[in-house]
Structures are given as C-alpha cells and as structure tokens.
Amino acid sequence: MELTSLSALALGKKIRAREVSVEEAAKETLAQIGKKEPDIHSFVTVDAEGALAQAREIQQKIDAGMLTGALAGVPVAVKDNLCTKGLLTTCSSKMLSDFTPTYTAEAVKRLQHAGMVIVGKTNMDEFAMGSTTETSYYGPTKNPWNLAHVPGGSSGGSCAAVAAEQCVCALGSDTGGSIRQPSAFCGVTGIKPTYGTVSRYGLIAYGSSLDQIGPIAKDVSDCAALLEVLAAHDPKDSTSVKRDDTDFTSALSCDVKGLKIGVPRDYFTEGLNAEVKEAVLHAADVLRDLGAEVSEFDLSLVKYAVPAYYVIACAEASSNLERFDGVKYGWRTKQYEGLHEMYKKTRSEGFGAEVKRRIMLGSFVLSSGYYDAYYLKALRTKALIKQAFDKAFASYDLILCPAAPYTAPKIGESIKDPIQMYLGDIYTVAVNLAGLPGISIPAGVDTAGLPIGMQLIGDCFQEKKLIRAAYAYEQTKASMRCPYAQPCPEETERSGKK
C-alpha cells in the first residue's frame, strides 16, 4: 500500500513506529504530486526542496523525542491564501503572482510546531471568490472523480489533492462554504470551525467577519486531529477565542444515543437534486438507527441567506482588496502616466473578472445612498439568521442537511452563470453568517459516479458533537476511494479522458 493512501493518523503512527521515515513519506508525497499534477492541477507551488529539508529536520526531532504528536512527520498541503515565509503566496491571482511573504500564518505555524511537513500551496478560486476553482489565474483544478467536472471551491485545490491522494491532508479556508462544498464534490471530509477557533493571522482576507481556516482530510478522525493542532488563542488575531475544550479527538465515539438532530424542511425543497436529497435523508435514517433522535423542523430565513451573504462578503472584499494598488507590493502595470492611471491599470490587469465583479458589488452597497438600503439591511438579516439558529439549537444538538444542492457540475457550466453559482451556496453560507461550526462528510455517490456530501451544523463551540455524530455515521459506511487515486492511475480508466 502506498503511503499516500493511508490516513494522516495511520501514516503518523508508522512514522512513530520507525516503519517509515519522514523523508520517505515526503518523497512519496512529492512523487504522487508529480505523477498526478498534470491531470488534476491541485497545486500552484510545490516546494520539493523545502519539504525534504523540513523532513530531515523533523526526523531528527522525532528521534530525539522532541516531537511525539500523532501527526509529526506527516506531509500536508496549504491553501495558497495562507502566508508562508519565503514561499510564494499568490491567492491564485495575477495581482500576487510574485508575492513572497516575510512571515508565516499562525495556522501554518501550528502545523510546523506539530512537526508536519509543508509540501506546497494549493490552487483556489482567485482571492477565494468562486465555487469551482475556475477563477484561478493559473487555470482550473479538475475533480479527481471525473476530470471533466469541477472540484468545487474556493478550496478546490486542497480537496482535489486529498481526493487524488497527492497528500493525506490539507488546509482550506471557508468564507461561505469554501471547505464544505468542495469536500462534498471531491468525496473528502472538511470542517469549518466556529468563528474565532483558528487564528486568521496570515490569512489573506476575503470577508473578515466570515473567513475561517479549517482542515480537509480523508476521514473524521484526521480532521479532528488536525483541528486539535490548529485551535488555539492567538493575541495577534483580535477575533481569536480562548477555548479549553480543544481535545477534539476525544469526541471520536460511535455513541449518538439521545443526540437530537434536526432536519430543516426548508433545505429539502425545490432546487435540490433528487439523488442528493435521497442520500442525505438516508443518512438521517442511519443516525436514527444508531440511537439519535431525528425529526424535521422549520428553519426560517433560509431564502435570505444568500443575498445577505453576498452583500456582506462583497462589501468586506471591496475594503480588504483596496490595498492591492501596485504601490507597495504585488502586480504593477508596466506602462502608465500618473498615479491614478497606475491604480486603474494595475487593478484592471491584476484582478480577474469574478474579483472585479465582487469589488464593484461591494463598493456599490457601501456607497452613499445605498449603504442603508443594502449593507445595513444585510447586517440586520445576518442577526435574524443567527436568532433563527439559536432558536433551533434550543431544541436540537445538531442540524443535518445537504452540503450542496447538486453534485459537481462540469467545467465551464457554473462560470457562465454567476447568479446560479452564487445560489449553489444556499446550504453553506448561513453557517458563516452565524459563525457556527459545520462538517461535510461523504454520503455516497450519484448514478454518474460523483460524490454526494452531507453537512452537519452545530451550535457555537460544539465541534465535539459534530465530530461525534459524523464519526458514528462514517463508521457505518464503506470507505470511499476516488478511482483516480488507485496506485496506477495511468492504467485506470479515467472518467473525462475516455
């Protein structure tokens, strides 16, 4: 069995048992990336030299007893909107195509402190704006389950890399579903933690009140172990929360007896693919059979979540991206006359179409005369959505729903219709508006052979309940391995390349 086919925890165990060295694990991961990258295009930057240097240093620390954690020596990929000192960080944008940070994001530092090997930076929608990874300046990532389909977004590169077994785990960021939706499309597991659980220091912001970093892996156990590493108070992040309940692996239990799970009727209406609906409702039956109390309820205000989200997110994006003007760092236009022309040409050339669209929308809703009509109204709607969730969690421990209304669309389909793409976030954006934790786990495949993902949502700081229910459900299912991830992909029939 190839090392990249193992779970992160299983690989870490082999490293601790001296059955395999850290360098061997890193070399095999880099080999898998090299073999599969021409087809999948999961990475923007692969740091082979740096990864091997890290591996040798980490091995010495393991041998000296300085690193004893469950993930020490395990290779990991990082989404390309997380700053890495000395390593290119582009946000998959021309604007930052030559940007090398002078510091490392706190979340990445925590991986390094745990002894994990950073192998590279994964592709994403430009500045995390998109749901398909097609808005990347470097070209789209492809779904390993079918190369003619998208992997989702904006963390599509991270999810595709894990699904294709180019690496055993990765980091993503979630502003409106950017971990959970691509996890569903790629048949992997991803957690969006409660807002403030993981430091955002060093994350290049899209929507500051919505962004949260989280783990992507093959199963719930790996995600729990990664989240345990990531979660910590950081004084450099004013939104960071000090928590004493971050021993998430202690929640890996199959006992869900008495757990109250609500299924919102509003999430199972028109627009939901029939096969996705059937798979998610079957998951509800499985959890009921395991002893959970599952019942339907009405979660109001769902139809307002998408417009409220896009007004708030785009307003924050227009402010956050104001700094990219060609003055201090990033792309600068080659020919210009005067400062104002330099600004205009730099931003016109440096940003892609989707980023420009969201900047313009955000600038519009913040402009004089429209601020009250749109932005303040969206903020009031956000508060009402949080109240609706509070009411639901007074009766339920968890909420069960789809992660996306359909399985992965074909490349080129969603990008033609931005409104339809935005509506694809209908089941995920409310979680970010309310600052709640959510997890996406595989719930089967459709008749086309594409993964279906289900989502569990918890109240603030209730990740352990999410992990407990997700793990219990996962144990009832056969493991889903992407056909492309088989040991010899060149000998495997590749959907989309027939």
Side-chain angles (χ1 to χ4, degrees):
M1 179 178 284
E2 294 185 348
L3 297 179
T4 52
S5 67
L6 298 171
S7 69
L9 286 172
L11 179 55
K13 186 176 180 180
K14 281 185 173 291
I15 289 170
R16 290 195 308 280
R18 307 297 195 273
E19 294 176 24
V20 61
S21 72
V22 180
E23 190 170 359
E24 286 172 335
K27 282 182 176 178
E28 183 163 319
T29 298
L30 293 167
Q32 289 296 326
I33 292 171
K35 184 191 297 183
K36 299 174 181 180
E37 191 58 11
D39 287 338
I40 305 298
H41 188 39
S42 298
F43 287 81
V44 172
T45 303
V46 178
D47 185 23
E49 185 178 339
L52 294 176
Q54 291 173 64
R56 289 187 284 270
E57 183 180 344
I58 289 166
Q59 186 68 65
Q60 291 176 356
K61 290 182 178 179
I62 291 173
D63 293 342
M66 296 167 63
L67 284 172
T68 59
L71 297 174
V74 174
V76 60
V78 174
K79 188 175 179 180
D80 204 29
N81 59 349
L82 286 158
C83 288
T84 43
K85 184 178 180 180
L87 186 62
L88 197 65
T89 300
T90 72
C91 280
S92 290
S93 176
K94 181 178 181 178
M95 185 63 80
L96 291 176
S97 56
D98 63 351
F99 175 57
T100 301
T102 57
Y103 68 101
T104 296
E106 181 64 23
V108 179
K109 275 189 177 179
R110 292 199 62 78
L111 297 182
Q112 293 171 333
H113 291 162
M116 300 188 77
V117 179
I118 314 298
V119 295
K121 310 295 289 293
T122 56
N123 199 21
M124 56 183 279
D125 282 297
E126 184 182 7
F127 282 101
M129 298 181 191
S131 303
T132 62
T133 315
E134 291 176 279
T135 69
S136 170
Y137 172 65
Y138 300 99
T141 297
K142 296 177 181 177
N143 192 319
W145 288 78
N146 187 321
L147 300 180
H149 290 248
V150 302
S154 62
S155 303
S158 290
C159 292
V162 173
E165 295 183 356
Q166 293 177 288
C167 59
V168 296
C169 57
L171 286 193
S173 67
D174 193 310
T175 307
S178 294
I179 287 174
R180 290 160 290 147
Q181 182 251 39
S183 292
F185 283 1
C186 291
V188 296
T189 301
I191 294 180
K192 181 264 169 193
T194 303
Y195 185 76
T197 296
V198 180
S199 171
R200 292 186 300 110
Y201 177 77
L203 171 68
I204 298 173
Y206 165 19
S208 304
S209 72
L210 306 166
D211 297 337
Q212 188 63 184
I213 299 162
I216 296 160
K218 295 177 182 177
D219 57 33
V220 177
S221 299
D222 280 0
C223 278
L226 274 164
L227 187 56
E228 211 165 271
V229 168
L230 295 169
H233 177 255
D234 179 13
K236 299 185 297 298
D237 176 6
S238 62
T239 64
S240 179
V241 178
K242 191 169 186 178
R243 297 180 58 174
D244 299 320
D245 60 340
T246 57
D247 54 332
F248 299 112
T249 52
S250 67
L252 296 169
S253 165
C254 290
D255 181 16
V256 293
K257 287 180 178 147
L259 207 61
K260 295 180 180 178
I261 300 176
V263 179
R265 295 186 189 92
D266 325 54
Y267 281 34
F268 292 85
T269 55
E270 186 181 355
L272 178 62
N273 176 278
E275 290 184 87
V276 173
K277 179 178 181 179
E278 182 183 356
V280 176
L281 291 178
H282 175 70
D285 291 337
V286 170
L287 288 166
R288 186 182 288 112
D289 292 341
L290 290 172
E293 299 175 20
V294 182
S295 60
E296 294 184 354
F297 75 105
D298 292 316
L299 180 63
S300 61
L301 302 170
V302 171
K303 63 182 178 180
Y304 301 114
V306 170
Y309 166 78
Y310 276 100
V311 168
I312 294 169
C314 291
E316 294 184 5
S318 72
S319 177
N320 281 324
L321 271 62
E322 188 178 14
R323 72 195 72 174
F324 302 111
D325 55 13
V327 175
K328 291 184 178 178
Y329 62 96
W331 171 260
R332 178 186 291 181
T333 188
K334 303 301 181 187
Q335 296 181 339
Y336 57 90
E337 292 183 10
L339 184 64
H340 289 289
E341 186 179 350
M342 189 271 282
Y343 283 160
K344 287 189 287 186
K345 288 187 70 176
T346 291
R347 290 171 70 79
S348 294
E349 294 169 10
F351 290 133
E354 184 60 33
V355 174
K356 290 175 189 173
R357 183 182 294 117
R358 299 193 191 197
I359 288 173
M360 288 190 292
L361 177 58
S363 298
F364 173 76
V365 300
L366 290 175
S367 62
S368 177
Y370 297 99
Y371 185 87
D372 292 349
Y374 292 101
Y375 185 63
L376 288 185
K377 192 175 287 184
L379 290 179
R380 287 193 289 268
T381 304
K382 176 183 177 182
L384 291 172
I385 289 170
K386 178 65 168 70
Q387 288 174 19
F389 275 111
D390 288 343
K391 183 179 177 183
F393 288 122
S395 302
Y396 298 100
D397 296 299
L398 299 172
I399 293 170
L400 171 66
C401 62
Y406 39 70
T407 54
K410 286 187 176 179
I411 292 172
E413 285 182 354
S414 299
I415 207 76
K416 294 178 194 172
D417 187 353
I419 300 299
Q420 195 59 38
M421 180 173 69
Y422 298 165
L423 291 173
D425 296 332
I426 190 168
Y427 304 130
T428 54
V429 294
V431 171
N432 298 77
L433 289 171
L436 304 172
I439 185 170
S440 174
I441 54 175
V445 294
D446 66 7
T447 50
L450 293 166
I452 296 170
M454 78 169 197
Q455 180 181 202
L456 286 164
I457 303 168
D459 201 359
C460 289
F461 310 117
Q462 296 300 314
E463 283 88 352
K464 287 186 180 180
K465 288 181 180 177
L466 282 180
I467 290 166
R468 179 179 155 201
Y471 180 78
Y473 171 76
E474 181 184 73
Q475 298 310 299
T476 69
K477 304 281 290 182
S479 61
M480 283 174 49
R481 192 178 183 200
C482 171
Y484 187 86
Q486 302 305 316
C488 298
E490 63 275 6
E491 298 174 8
T492 304
E493 182 181 57
R494 300 180 185 179
S495 299
K497 281 201 145 191
K498 294 180 183 178

